[in-house]
Amino acid sequence: MCGIVGYIGNREAYPIILNGLKRLEYRGYDSAGIALYDGEKMHLSKTKGKVADLEERVKSEIPTKGSLGIGHTRWATHGVPNDINSHPHVSNSGELVIIHNGIIENYATLKKELINRGYTFESDTDTEVLVNLIEEIQKQENVKLGKAVQIALNQVVGAYAIALFDVKKPDEIVVAKLGSPLAIGIGEDEFFIASDASPFIEFTNNAIYLEDEEMAIIRKGRDIKIRKIKGDTLVDPYIQELKMNLEQIEKGGYDHFMLKEIYEQPAVIKDTYRGRLLADKGIVRLGGLENYIEKFTNADRIIIVACGTSWHAGLVAEYIFEEWARIPVEVEYASEFRYRNPIITSKDVVIAISQSGETADTLAAIKLAKQKGAFVYGICNVVGSTISRETHSGTYTHAGPEIGVASTKAFTTQITVLTLIALKLAKEKGTISQSDFMLHLRELELIPSKVEEALKSNDKIEEIAEVFKDVSNFLYLGRGYNFPVALEGALKLKEISYIHAEGYPAAEMKHGPIALIDEHMPVVVIAINSNHYEKVVSNIQEIKSRKGIIIAVVTEGDKDVKEMADYYMEVPNTPEALTPLLTTISLQLLSYHIAVMLNRNVDQPRNLAKSVTVE
Ligand code: M6R
């Protein structure tokens, strides 16, 4: 959560930082701020609200000259979102200025000690404590900024990505990382700092991703010194070539990133299986899995840990892994798993699923599973992310940058990878027939064009959205492979439209939720061709006889459900195990249109942030 940006070099820092903040706004958007050094003085401007509010404020508040600066967009943890709690924060002397993404857990104790030494605090933030702690250490120990930062971070408990400079020494920025991401872009005589590479992608393709417990001293026109925060060892910088391009992080003519990302799904699903799925030859090849197949095939069970939408992808995987590979699967919320002393042995394989690769709970679950001896496999979208590095091996989804806070293409590409893994393991174990194996490989190759077909219902789905945009509650029902899709559909609606929605296994309805059904309750039922078709038809009848309104997701060519439903959305036919890749599309579009009609901020829904790097 929170986005940080910094620049030191020969260009004007302000436009780079402002633009960078706009690109990182998906990480948090409660407040924003900037500190610029104009060659003589540091100028600070910050405000509650969005980066656009900051842009307005800067116009009347500070000069925008200077080639050194840092900026921040915030998702509030300590202290309500207001102007004072916004970053950057300045030390009591006015000389040190800092931005921070993360949480300093022991800030209250540190704050008391600093107050006893005469420090005063304006804000309620943990970050203001950190910058004053650094200042106090600088004074007491008579050390340079880098050393003071290092000593301070050794006293701190928590997570951080920080960047700070000293107005007395405006040729250097000090950065450090533990648990929150931090990338350094390397230009010619210039350096960029950011939570991800998107703020500097048009300036350089070379970046260093700091590892946890590393800090860097970045000197204008000179070099970068990276060292361990504990122990003081120097680290050789590892410069990566970025694969991301500008087009991927722009809206490309769509009104919202979410819509663009929904429409990217045919392409990114293909990107995700390209080179891995060789249907003609009957081969699935996953680099990260090849050397570890036996870990999976000999495992007592697979435990999947994830949060939110990634957890829903894990639930889909439970069905396909058990069906094809006959390996018992448990799917856990990472946040629960990490705190309940789970029974895990070295015979367990843990799969961690995360789009961002930075989710704090998932990361903690991985660390716990590793401590207990399990083999941990990661499925991440962001290359080089913390989770991708913390896991023993893994497979990347190739969704490209997902900017909309509501996850769409990450979900379908996660299911694509999980399907490939399940098929590979089933083949290896001999638990799937050759004909079934081949059928699913071929059908998976057809999914991108079938997603395109499903997207053609967009106008019709928009009309359905118009009818239901003002209701207060929705129920989503699905069975089997589509039960997790019902959960995902409800989550999508909740998070971007703020309409209350519940996802349920269709057959569970009669154990309670049926009491909610009346003529005002829209029920989205996933009623595609499947083994449960007849049973879902019965569920629909139960709803109809209580005057509920049915919005059904049906397979093209369906007759029965279409007749019974008040509204329907069609998807092409595909084997049941692959249907989540299609049914999801209709539900994403339904949520999107309702949210747009309600004038919601679709890409940045209230109270949320794209990557949840705090507990
Ligand atoms: O980056 P991750 O996949 O680990 O994120 C997990 C959840 O925070 C995320 O899926 C969240 O639920 C989305 N907002 C859902 O659209």
Side-chain angles (χ1 to χ4, degrees):
M1 348 275 283
C2 301
I4 66 172
V5 194
Y7 177 79
I8 185 163
N10 298 314
R11 300 174 204 253
E12 287 298 315
Y14 178 64
I16 295 170
I17 293 172
L18 187 75
N19 209 21
L21 288 178
K22 286 180 183 167
R23 290 190 193 152
L24 289 182
E25 205 167 20
Y26 73 89
R27 301 181 61 85
Y29 32 82
D30 292 336
S31 61
I34 193 162
L36 294 168
Y37 183 77
D38 67 3
E40 288 177 7
K41 271 180 81 181
M42 190 261 294
H43 301 277
L44 185 70
S45 182
K46 48 193 201 170
T47 181
K48 178 177 186 244
K50 305 243 171 199
V51 176
D53 300 311
L54 175 70
E55 192 173 4
E56 272 312 300
R57 191 155 189 162
V58 164
K59 281 182 193 156
S60 59
E61 209 169 63
I62 58 167
T64 55
K65 286 260 156 261
S67 51
L68 164 66
I70 53 179
H72 189 269
T73 176
R74 178 169 188 245
W75 186 85
T77 54
H78 292 72
V80 295
N82 61 22
D83 294 359
I84 292 175
N85 287 332
S86 311
H87 298 216
H89 288 283
V90 181
S91 64
N92 275 197
S93 70
E95 287 170 354
L96 302 187
V97 56
I98 192 170
I99 46 174
H100 168 214
N101 168 27
I103 291 184
I104 307 300
E105 289 171 14
N106 58 339
Y107 84 105
T109 321
L110 297 168
K111 189 171 182 175
K112 260 191 215 147
E113 285 168 19
L114 288 165
I115 290 172
N116 289 340
R117 288 166 189 245
Y119 281 81
T120 55
F121 293 88
E122 282 185 356
S123 76
D124 304 318
T125 65
D126 47 350
T127 309
E128 197 186 4
V129 175
L130 179 59
V131 72
N132 282 304
L133 176 66
I134 295 167
E135 176 156 295
E136 174 63 7
I137 291 168
Q138 238 185 341
K139 274 197 216 148
Q140 294 298 323
E141 311 268 335
N142 196 16
V143 287
K144 290 184 179 165
L145 180 61
K147 190 69 196 169
V149 169
Q150 186 179 24
I151 297 171
L153 293 179
N154 275 294
Q155 296 179 20
V156 150
V157 179
Y160 49 78
I162 56 166
L164 74 161
F165 65 87
D166 182 343
V167 292
K168 296 193 305 313
K169 211 167 174 303
D171 62 342
E172 97 182 2
I173 296 184
V174 178
V175 298
K177 161 184 160 53
L178 174 61
S180 302
L182 198 142
I184 304 168
I186 323 278
E188 213 149 278
D189 292 336
E190 62 181 351
F191 297 100
F192 306 82
I193 292 139
S195 299
D196 69 35
S198 62
F200 54 77
I201 193 66
E202 65 265 53
F203 301 108
T204 177
N205 281 325
N206 296 321
I208 296 171
Y209 288 90
L210 277 199
E211 297 284 341
D212 273 351
E213 301 193 327
E214 283 181 1
M215 59 179 289
I217 298 167
I218 301 167
R219 297 211 174 95
K220 180 175 175 177
R222 287 173 57 194
D223 55 358
I224 297 188
K225 285 252 171 337
I226 303 179
R227 53 178 72 244
K228 293 276 178 205
I229 294 169
K230 288 192 181 121
D232 213 26
T233 351
L234 275 178
V235 176
D236 279 341
Y238 169 58
I239 301 177
Q240 291 192 30
E241 201 186 322
L242 298 170
K243 299 275 182 283
M244 189 194 280
N245 62 47
L246 200 55
E247 198 187 311
Q248 285 178 311
I249 55 167
E250 289 183 333
K251 280 192 204 145
Y254 288 89
D255 287 343
H256 298 97
F257 280 110
M258 182 181 177
L259 191 61
K260 177 185 174 227
E261 288 158 7
I262 290 173
Y263 273 85
E264 278 173 352
Q265 288 175 106
V268 295
I269 291 172
K270 200 180 268 178
D271 288 345
T272 296
Y273 70 57
R274 183 175 292 122
R276 295 165 166 173
L277 164 63
L278 309 171
D280 289 348
K281 297 190 177 135
I283 292 176
V284 174
R285 200 164 45 204
L286 291 163
L289 193 60
E290 300 301 328
N291 292 331
Y292 300 102
I293 294 277
E294 284 182 5
K295 292 260 182 214
F296 282 85
T297 51
N298 294 334
D300 283 347
R301 58 190 178 150
I302 293 174
I303 301 165
I304 298 179
V305 292
C307 302
T309 290
S310 298
W311 184 77
H312 295 153
L315 285 179
V316 175
E318 180 176 17
Y319 285 84
I320 53 181
F321 275 67
E322 293 201 344
E323 172 70 26
W324 292 333
R326 307 303 296 151
I327 305 172
V329 177
E330 286 167 29
V331 188
E332 300 258 9
Y333 283 119
S335 52
E336 289 297 313
F337 178 85
R338 63 180 289 196
Y339 284 121
R340 67 169 177 73
N341 194 12
I343 299 165
I344 308 166
T345 73
S346 54
K347 295 272 285 168
D348 291 323
V349 167
V350 170
I351 299 181
I353 309 175
S354 174
Q355 186 286 129
S356 61
E358 303 294 344
T359 301
D361 285 320
T362 309
L363 193 54
I366 291 168
K367 289 184 177 158
L368 179 69
K370 278 168 73 183
Q371 266 168 30
K372 291 183 179 265
F375 172 75
V376 186
Y377 199 83
I379 297 176
C380 294
N381 189 42
V382 177
V383 176
S385 55
T386 312
I387 291 178
S388 69
R389 282 180 281 122
E390 273 292 329
T391 41
H392 293 115
S393 186
T395 302
Y396 282 116
T397 52
H398 292 165
E402 192 181 63
I403 313 278
V405 165
S407 210
T408 52
K409 60 177 181 168
F411 181 65
T412 45
T413 53
Q414 285 164 349
I415 295 176
T416 304
V417 164
L418 289 159
T419 304
L420 290 173
I421 297 175
L423 285 168
K424 171 110 187 150
L425 296 178
K427 182 80 171 66
E428 209 60 42
K429 285 188 72 185
T431 45
I432 191 169
S433 69
Q434 180 64 9
S435 58
D436 249 9
F437 178 71
M438 290 305 292
L439 171 84
H440 284 93
L441 291 192
R442 289 200 190 99
E443 287 290 342
L444 189 54
E445 264 196 331
L446 299 178
I447 286 293
S449 60
K450 293 187 180 180
V451 172
E452 260 163 30
E453 269 310 300
L455 287 167
K456 288 185 184 152
S457 299
N458 181 49
D459 291 352
K460 185 167 181 198
I461 295 173
E462 193 173 355
E463 285 166 22
I464 299 175
E466 181 65 49
V467 179
F468 292 100
K469 66 179 194 314
D470 296 317
V471 304
S472 312
N473 295 290
F474 261 88
L475 201 57
Y476 283 71
L477 303 178
R479 287 188 85 133
Y481 299 99
N482 281 288
F483 156 53
V485 177
L487 296 182
E488 174 61 8
L491 174 64
K492 237 37 350 147
L493 187 71
K494 275 186 272 215
E495 69 180 332
I496 61 169
S497 73
Y498 319 148
I499 294 175
H500 172 249
E502 293 280 344
Y504 254 90
E508 275 293 304
M509 188 188 57
K510 56 187 170 297
H511 298 288
I514 198 162
L516 296 169
I517 307 287
D518 62 15
E519 66 273 28
H520 306 296
M521 176 63 96
V523 187
V524 178
V525 187
I526 305 166
I528 35 85
N529 279 352
S530 72
N531 283 336
H532 308 294
Y533 183 77
E534 298 303 335
K535 294 190 190 305
V536 176
V537 167
S538 305
N539 295 140
I540 291 175
Q541 269 154 353
E542 287 158 13
I543 299 164
K544 291 293 298 175
S545 55
R546 285 157 183 89
K547 300 202 176 79
I549 311 155
I550 300 290
I551 307 163
V553 182
V554 297
T555 311
E556 274 167 14
D558 177 277
K559 287 208 176 73
D560 298 354
V561 174
K562 269 189 191 167
E563 268 172 26
M564 294 161 68
D566 299 277
Y567 302 89
Y568 65 84
M569 307 179 269
E570 280 181 313
V571 295
N573 196 20
T574 194
E576 193 178 350
L578 304 182
T579 54
L581 291 164
L582 303 180
T583 51
T584 300
I585 307 295
S586 313
L587 304 191
Q588 290 170 347
L589 287 170
L590 182 65
S591 307
Y592 172 78
H593 287 300
I594 291 178
V596 170
M597 285 167 192
L598 292 175
N599 254 326
R600 304 296 191 224
N601 190 336
V602 172
D603 286 332
Q604 295 169 355
R606 69 183 180 200
N607 304 338
L608 292 174
K610 184 69 183 162
S611 55
V612 185
T613 54
V614 295
E615 281 190 48

